[in-house]
Amino acid sequence: MKHKILSALIILCSSLQTLWAQKSLINYEDSLFSIDDVVCVGERPHYLTPSQTISGPTLQNLSTTSVADALKYFSGVQIKDFGGLGGLKTVNVRSLGSQHVGVYLDGIRITNAQNGQVDLGRYSLSNMESVSLYNANKNERLQSATEYASAATVYMQTRKPDRTTLTAEYGTGSFGLNKVKGYFSLKDRLFVDAEYQHTDGNYKFRFRSLSEDTIGKRHNSDIRFYRLEAAGFYKGLATHVYYYNSERGLPGPVIRRLTDQWDSTDRQWDQNFFVQSSYKKMWENFGLRTNLKYSFDYLHYLQDPSTNAAAIYCNNHYTQQSV
């Protein structure tokens, strides 16, 4: 008797489940909605050449201090670092050479008549809004003729301060490294950025050859530089002032034996100054852009045989002024 009642309950539950499924299916088939046509609208990119950009908080959060270090995150880029800490840092794209890369700050080109290479290690990220790399150049109106002559272009855009702030930093490290940095900004008006750095650069190293196994010490690796720049903004007008001064030593190589190697005493002094202004105004069908810049660059290189008998006397001065 119990088995018959249990079987009847099972059959009843199965029948109810079937009826519920049919009812649900009927309700689903009856629940039809009609909507209007859907139109997808997209904006066609205005540029034709590939580009890479780091900007805003992403740029400021990088664990780097110079523009050259930020460019390491781009593809197809090779950074050449000459002289170690504080040395010349150049960039080339697709192995075309640094002379084929145009470097622009706020739309105005940075030039170098001595060797055609721009030292990107001298430009700080603390006041940069964005750093962009283009194959060829930007595809937009109001460009200079030099932008069309480069195989690749690096664009650095100065950040307009969005708040009033004052910051100061101090850092120290190995090999006598000491650096001080200060930054002041007035919202939407101006900023002043200053930096000083000094390091001895001397370190011990082990030299092994067939004739000797000894401990040597690197000499003449010191560097001292300070950088001061400021920028002002008023509507479409932007003015930027930059000054850089450095003195550094150039350590010599170890060729055969450490014991008979003369210490290098080569010295180099650099001074870089420029002031530039740009104004840009866009209307519906017209645009106006004006650029004005004056720059002064000086380099002094000294190689003195009186302090290094293995060297040839060399006292070179390079001076460049451009408007």
Side-chain angles (χ1 to χ4, degrees), residues 32-44:
L32 299 179
F33 300 92
S34 177
I35 59 176
D36 297 332
D37 295 339
V38 178
V39 179
C40 297
V41 179
E43 182 179 355
R44 184 186 298 272

Side-chain angles (χ1 to χ4, degrees), residues 9 18 38 69 95 151-153 168 236 300 320:
L9 290 175
T18 303
V38 178
D69 296 329
S95 301
T153 48
H300 178 204
Q320 172 188 346

Side-chain angles (χ1 to χ4, degrees), residues 275-321:
V275 54
Q276 66 180 37
S277 294
S278 61
Y279 177 78
K280 188 174 182 179
K281 178 70 174 179
M282 302 299 296
W283 292 275
E284 184 176 355
N285 297 318
F286 299 96
L288 172 66
R289 180 177 179 180
T290 60
N291 291 331
L292 178 64
K293 179 178 182 179
Y294 167 77
S295 64
F296 173 84
D297 299 294
Y298 171 75
L299 184 146
H300 178 204
Y301 177 78
L302 176 62
Q303 184 175 270
D304 191 358
S306 64
T307 56
N308 185 358
I312 301 175
Y313 179 74
C314 180
N315 189 12
N316 292 340
H317 299 263
Y318 299 90
T319 303
Q320 172 188 346
Q321 297 187 73

Side-chain angles (χ1 to χ4, degrees), residues 5 9 13 43 54 65 77 89 100 140-141 159 164 167 187 191 206-207 229 233 256 258 282 289 296 301 315:
I5 296 175
L9 290 175
C13 292
E43 182 179 355
I54 301 179
T65 57
V77 173
K89 295 181 176 61
H100 296 276
E140 63 179 26
R141 297 185 295 171
R159 183 176 76 250
T164 301
T167 60
K187 182 178 180 180
F191 73 79
R206 184 177 182 181
F207 179 76
E229 58 183 310
F233 307 89
R256 289 186 304 173
L258 184 64
M282 302 299 296
R289 180 177 179 180
F296 173 84
Y301 177 78
N315 189 12

Side-chain angles (χ1 to χ4, degrees), residues 28-323:
Y28 177 78
E29 292 177 348
D30 292 342
S31 301
L32 299 179
F33 300 92
S34 177
I35 59 176
D36 297 332
D37 295 339
V38 178
V39 179
C40 297
V41 179
E43 182 179 355
R44 184 186 298 272
H46 66 280
Y47 55 85
L48 299 177
T49 56
S51 64
Q52 304 174 68
T53 302
I54 301 179
S55 61
T58 303
L59 182 65
Q60 298 302 318
N61 291 334
L62 293 180
S63 59
T64 57
T65 57
S66 68
V67 173
D69 296 329
L71 289 174
K72 294 179 181 179
Y73 293 91
F74 293 158
S75 59
V77 173
Q78 292 178 333
I79 302 294
K80 293 184 178 181
D81 191 344
F82 303 91
L85 181 64
L88 176 68
K89 295 181 176 61
T90 62
V91 57
N92 67 77
V93 182
R94 303 188 304 279
S95 301
L96 287 177
S98 302
Q99 295 85 350
H100 296 276
V101 180
V103 181
Y104 293 83
L105 177 62
D106 296 335
I108 304 178
R109 184 162 188 170
I110 301 173
T111 58
N112 187 308
Q114 177 195 354
N115 51 28
Q117 300 179 351
V118 178
D119 185 2
L120 294 173
R122 300 178 180 177
Y123 299 93
S124 174
L125 292 178
S126 59
N127 51 57
M128 291 294 172
E129 173 63 29
S130 64
V131 177
S132 304
L133 174 66
Y134 281 78
N135 294 341
N137 55 276
K138 286 184 178 179
N139 184 25
E140 63 179 26
R141 297 185 295 171
L142 305 177
Q143 292 190 89
S144 60
T146 58
E147 296 183 58
Y148 294 94
S150 301
T153 48
V154 175
Y155 292 94
M156 300 181 292
Q157 184 64 43
T158 303
R159 183 176 76 250
K160 185 177 182 180
D162 56 358
R163 58 180 178 174
T164 301
T165 181
L166 173 63
T167 60
E169 301 177 11
Y170 171 77
T172 184
S174 302
F175 316 124
L177 173 63
N178 291 280
K179 56 182 180 180
V180 181
K181 190 173 182 180
Y183 179 84
F184 169 76
S185 65
L186 187 62
K187 182 178 180 180
D188 298 331
R189 292 300 181 186
L190 61 89
F191 73 79
V192 179
D193 189 13
E195 181 181 7
Y196 172 81
Q197 182 171 311
H198 176 269
T199 179
D200 297 332
N202 299 331
Y203 58 89
K204 294 181 179 180
F205 65 94
R206 184 177 182 181
F207 179 76
R208 302 179 64 180
S209 66
L210 296 176
S211 58
E212 61 181 336
D213 184 356
T214 183
I215 301 296
K217 188 174 183 180
R218 195 73 159 173
H219 295 287
N220 202 42
S221 301
D222 64 295
I223 178 173
R224 172 205 55 81
F225 77 84
Y226 60 88
R227 174 185 56 84
L228 178 64
E229 58 183 310
F233 307 89
Y234 180 73
K235 296 183 179 180
L237 177 66
T239 302
H240 198 133
V241 182
Y242 177 92
Y243 180 72
Y244 177 88
N245 185 298
S246 72
E247 177 185 356
R248 70 193 69 194
L250 289 86
V254 177
I255 304 204
R256 289 186 304 173
R257 294 188 300 271
L258 184 64
T259 53
D260 62 355
Q261 177 65 30
W262 292 85
D263 286 338
S264 173
T265 58
D266 299 359
R267 306 295 295 177
Q268 178 176 313
W269 296 263
D270 293 274
Q271 292 185 45
N272 302 95
F273 170 80
F274 70 77
V275 54
Q276 66 180 37
S277 294
S278 61
Y279 177 78
K280 188 174 182 179
K281 178 70 174 179
M282 302 299 296
W283 292 275
E284 184 176 355
N285 297 318
F286 299 96
L288 172 66
R289 180 177 179 180
T290 60
N291 291 331
L292 178 64
K293 179 178 182 179
Y294 167 77
S295 64
F296 173 84
D297 299 294
Y298 171 75
L299 184 146
H300 178 204
Y301 177 78
L302 176 62
Q303 184 175 270
D304 191 358
S306 64
T307 56
N308 185 358
I312 301 175
Y313 179 74
C314 180
N315 189 12
N316 292 340
H317 299 263
Y318 299 90
T319 303
Q320 172 188 346
Q321 297 187 73
S322 60
V323 176

